[in-house]
Amino acid sequence: MSKTNTDTAGTGTTAPGTAASGAAGREDGDLTAAGSRLSTAPQEDAPTLPSLGVVGWARWFWRQLTSMRVALILLFLLSLGAIPGSLIPQTGQDETKVADFMERHDTLGPLYEKLGLFHVYSSVWFSAIYILLFVSLIGCIVPRTWQFVGQLRGRPPGAPRRLTRLPAYTTWRTEAAPEEVRAAALKILKGRRFRAHAAGDAVAAEKGYLREFGNLAFHVALIVMLVAFAWGQLFKSEGNKLVVEGDGFANTLTQYDDFKSGSLFSTDDLTPFSFDLKGFTGTYERTGPNKGTPRTYRADLTYSEGADGAERTTKVEVNKPLEIGDSKVYLVSHGYAPVVTVRDGKGKVVYRQPVPLLPLDSNVTSSGAIKVLDGYRNAQGAKEQLGFNAFFVPTFKGAGQGEMLSQFPALDNPVLAVSAYHGNLGVNSGIPQSVYQLDKSDMKEFKDSGGSLLKKRLEPGQTLTLPGGAGSITFEKEIKEWAGFQIVQQPGSGWALAGALAAIFGLAASLFVQRRRVWVRAVPGPDGVTVVEMAGLGRSESAKVPEELGALAGLLYDKAPGAPGPDPDPDPGSASEPGANATTDDPPAVPAEGAEKK
C-alpha cells in the first residue's frame, strides 16, 4: 500500500481511497481547529499582538469618531444637553431668575453653577459635544463625497453572468437581432433617466443617485446649520427699547433699556440706523368670546440708515419687522403713557412729560412710578424730591364696582390713581434701580386730613393738591401710547434657514428615492433566435423594482416582440425557471421581488 502511494505520488496522480482518507483527515483537522476557536479558554502559546502605537491609536480613534454610530450618539447627547438649557434659568437670558434660583436652592444652586447649567450653551462640556459632532460629520462626509464623485464619474457595473439569480427577472425570445435589442434597450433606459451604457452582450443601467446625494446633502446641511448657529451665537446682539409716541431711538449701546450680545460681538458691529415713533394704532374686538383680543397692533415709524441716510416711512406690525441691514426691529409690546404735570408750592412747573406704565394683564391694567428728581423745592424752600406710585386703567368700571382693574384695553374710561411721597429717591447712591418702582427707604408719605397716605383717583384733567403748600400733580387730558421694540442682529440666520431646508430635502431624498440597477442581455439562442433577459436589483427592499422592470420590459417588448415558440431555459437545472412554460404571445411578466419565480 505504501508502495502504491509512493508510485502514485511520483506519477502525479492520487488513488481514490487515498484521496478520500486525506480529505477526511483534513476535514477532521479543520473541525478540530474550528472547535478550538469556539472555546473561551486561554491559549498558552497565543501569539503576542503588535502594539498599535501612537499612529495606530490615532487612526483607531479617528475611525470611531467618524463612524455613524458615534455621530448618532453625539447628536443624542447634544439633544440631551439642550434640555437643561430650556428648563433651568440661563444667565444670558435672565440673570434675575438665576439669582432667585440660587437664593431659593442652597444645594442645587452651587451644584448647577459648577456643572455650568446656568450657561449651558457656552459651557465647556456642551462646546465639546458640539465640536466633536462637527468634526465627526466632516470626517464622515469627506470620504463618502469622494466615493460618490467616483461613482458619478464611473459607469454602472456590467451584467452578472446569471441574471436569473436576481430578485426581479424576466426573459423572452425575439426575432430581432441582438444589436437591435441592445440599442432599443439603451434608448429606453436613457429615456427613463437611467445612466446606461453597453457592456459586452448586455446593457447596464443605474438610477437613484439622488438617494446618496440627499444623504450627503443632509449631512452637509447639518454642518451648515451648526456653523450658522455657532456664528450667530458668537456675533449676535439683542436689545429692547421702549419708545413713547413722538420719541425716537438711535442704534447705539447707550440708547437701549437692556442689551446682551455674543462673546465676539463688538459695538462697532451695530448697524447704524435710527427711527422715530410717529404713532401707534391698536384696535380690539368689542364683542363676542374674543372680546378684548387685539385686531391691529401697528407702529408708524420714520427711519433712516447711516448718518446721512434719507428718511423713509414704514409700518411695523407683530411678526412683520423692519429689516435694516443685518438688524431686525420687532414690535413686541405696547402700553400707555399718561401725561402728568407736577408743580411746586408757587405753581412753577417742575415736571411735565408722559410716564410709561407697565401692563399687568391683557386689559392693560398698568403700574409704575413718577419721579421728580430736580427743580422742586418744598414749602420751606428746601430742595427735595417727589415720588408718586401710579396705577392706571384705560377702562375703569366705576367707583364702588370692586377692585380697580381695567375692563377693556382701549381708552374708554381712563383713570390714574396716585399716592404721594417726598424725600430722597436714592438715585444718586450709585445703586441701580428700576424706573418703574419707588425706593421708599428715604421717602416720607404725604398725609391726608385723616393721617393716612395721600392718594386719589384722577380722571383726565383732574389735580391732586399736596398738603402744606407742597404743590400739586395733574393728570392731563393727553394720554400717549408707547411701543416696545426688540432690535435683533443675528448673522447666519439666513444660512441656518437654508441649511434647515436643505436638510429636509436631503432627508426626504434619502428616505424615498431608491438606488436600483437594471441589466438587459440579448444573445443568440441555440436555434438562432435572440434571447432577451432583463433583471433588476435594488439597493434596499422595495416592491417598485419589479414594477419598474415590468414597465421597462413592456416598452422593450414593443420594440422587440416575442417570437413564436416556448421561452428558453437560461439556467438549466436551476430551481428558478422564469418563463419556462410561458408563450411569447403576451408581454413578459416579472415576479414580485423576493417571491418564488416559476
Side-chain angles (χ1 to χ4, degrees), residues 43-63:
Q43 298 182 8
E44 296 181 358
D45 299 329
T48 303
L49 296 176
S51 175
L52 288 177
V54 177
V55 176
W57 279 110
R59 288 178 178 173
W60 177 87
F61 179 78
W62 177 253
R63 291 192 188 100

Side-chain angles (χ1 to χ4, degrees), residues 371 425-427 429 431-435 437-439:
K371 300 181 181 182
L425 290 169
V427 294
S429 62
I431 301 175
Q433 60 176 245
S434 172
V435 296
Q437 293 179 337
L438 287 180
D439 181 4

Side-chain angles (χ1 to χ4, degrees), residues 18-278:
T18 306
S21 61
R26 286 194 299 274
E27 185 176 356
D28 291 341
D30 293 342
L31 289 174
T32 303
S36 66
R37 286 194 294 271
L38 292 175
S39 174
T40 58
Q43 298 182 8
E44 296 181 358
D45 299 329
T48 303
L49 296 176
S51 175
L52 288 177
V54 177
V55 176
W57 279 110
R59 288 178 178 173
W60 177 87
F61 179 78
W62 177 253
R63 291 192 188 100
Q64 298 301 313
L65 180 60
T66 56
S67 66
M68 183 61 67
R69 179 181 66 257
V70 173
L72 291 175
I73 292 174
L74 290 172
L75 191 60
F76 178 69
L77 291 177
L78 195 70
S79 302
L80 286 181
I83 294 176
S86 303
L87 301 178
I88 300 174
Q90 302 293 294
T91 54
Q93 297 178 352
D94 196 331
E95 294 185 4
T96 304
K97 288 186 178 180
V98 174
D100 181 65
F101 187 94
M102 291 282 290
E103 184 177 350
R104 290 186 291 107
H105 299 84
D106 297 334
T107 303
L108 285 180
L111 178 61
Y112 283 3
E113 180 66 28
K114 291 180 180 179
L115 295 177
L117 297 182
F118 292 125
H119 48 90
V120 169
Y121 304 110
S122 60
S123 63
V124 175
W125 57 269
F126 191 86
S127 301
I129 298 174
Y130 197 92
I131 294 172
L132 285 175
L133 177 60
F134 185 80
V135 174
S136 177
L137 288 174
I138 292 178
C140 179
I141 288 173
V142 171
R144 291 185 62 177
T145 301
W146 285 117
Q147 182 182 7
F148 182 61
V149 171
Q151 292 176 357
L152 293 178
R153 296 179 63 183
R155 289 185 170 186
R161 188 169 65 87
R162 295 185 179 181
L163 294 178
T164 57
R165 296 185 176 182
L166 297 181
Y169 172 83
T170 188
T171 182
W172 73 93
R173 292 157 28 102
T174 181
E175 294 180 348
E179 295 80 7
E180 296 177 359
V181 175
R182 291 194 289 269
L186 187 63
K187 184 177 180 181
I188 291 172
L189 289 169
K190 287 185 176 180
R192 289 297 186 94
R193 297 188 300 277
F194 278 84
R195 296 181 68 234
H197 71 104
D201 60 357
V203 174
E206 190 168 8
K207 191 177 183 181
Y209 290 90
L210 189 61
R211 179 187 183 92
E212 182 63 19
F213 177 79
N215 200 345
L216 292 173
F218 174 74
H219 288 81
V220 172
L222 286 181
I223 292 180
V224 171
M225 291 171 64
L226 289 174
V227 172
F229 288 146
W231 186 268
Q233 289 297 318
L234 292 173
F235 291 93
K236 75 172 183 179
S237 68
E238 180 181 305
N240 294 284
K241 178 63 178 179
L242 186 152
V243 183
V244 179
E245 287 178 322
D247 292 342
F249 167 79
N251 194 25
T252 59
L253 192 59
T254 56
Q255 289 276 303
Y256 283 94
D257 295 332
D258 60 81
F259 184 84
K260 57 185 177 182
S261 63
S263 56
L264 298 182
F265 180 83
S266 171
T267 54
D268 296 334
D269 298 328
L270 287 172
T271 305
F273 70 89
S274 61
F275 66 82
D276 294 326
L277 177 61
K278 294 302 182 182

Side-chain angles (χ1 to χ4, degrees), residues 19-20 25 43 64 78 150 190 223 229 234 278 345 380 396-397 463 487-488 512 523 546 549:
Q43 298 182 8
Q64 298 301 313
L78 195 70
K190 287 185 176 180
I223 292 180
F229 288 146
L234 292 173
K278 294 302 182 182
Q380 290 74 33
F396 183 48
K397 191 174 183 180
T463 300
I487 297 92
V488 177
F512 299 111
V523 295
L549 185 67

